[in-house]
Amino acid sequence: QVQLMESGGGLVQAGGSLRLSCTASGFAFDDYPMGWFRQAPGKEREGVSCTSWSGARTYYADSVKDRFIISRSNAENTLYLQMNRLKPEDTAMYYCAAVSTYADCSIASVRNNLWGQGTQVTVSS
């Protein structure tokens, strides 16, 4: 059974940090580019950051560039998102997904419309 499970969210003050994890099972994780997406209340889901199958190539949305770092451990089937200098506008539910290519970090690139349950990130001002 293909499954993605996000964790690591929480409540943090502006300027703080969080590290999200996404554990994958049921498919060849190291064959696929992966990405992080987020959805704030009343807004569409958007791509935050994506990485190639090896982790060597990355993409960041302008809103998180220089603050977030995406990485992966293929040995552990896990995708990470280190979030630093968090802002209230980063508040959202965060999801991981496999994508067709790291360079297209959009909803349209998500494979099989497969999502985990998400992890909530709330940043207080």
Side-chain angles (χ1 to χ4, degrees):
Q1 180 182 0
V2 177
Q3 194 169 15
L4 297 167
M5 185 173 297
E6 301 92 341
S7 62
L11 173 64
V12 64
Q13 288 189 329
S17 297
L18 283 174
R19 189 193 196 202
L20 305 184
S21 299
C22 166
T23 302
S25 60
F27 67 101
F29 178 77
D30 53 2
D31 278 352
Y32 293 94
M34 296 291 296
W36 285 99
F37 297 78
R38 68 186 180 186
Q39 187 166 19
K43 295 189 176 181
E44 293 186 354
R45 195 169 297 188
E46 63 177 359
V48 174
S49 180
C50 290
T51 183
S52 60
W53 66 270
S54 67
R57 298 186 177 187
T58 57
Y59 162 87
Y60 295 94
D62 287 343
S63 57
V64 306
K65 203 171 291 183
D66 299 325
R67 297 189 298 122
F68 291 9
I69 301 171
I70 190 171
S71 62
R72 64 191 296 164
S73 168
N74 288 341
E76 296 178 343
N77 287 358
T78 302
L79 179 73
Y80 301 100
L81 186 68
Q82 177 67 42
M83 305 187 296
N84 302 317
R85 303 199 311 276
L86 282 160
K87 303 176 180 181
E89 50 263 44
D90 294 318
T91 295
M93 187 73 81
Y94 283 72
Y95 303 88
C96 66
V99 294
S100 297
T101 171
Y102 83 96
D104 181 7
C105 198
S106 70
I107 299 299
S109 183
V110 172
R111 288 179 172 268
N112 300 319
N113 197 33
L114 176 68
W115 303 95
Q117 85 289 347
T119 186
Q120 177 69 40
V121 172
T122 303
V123 184
S124 63
S125 58

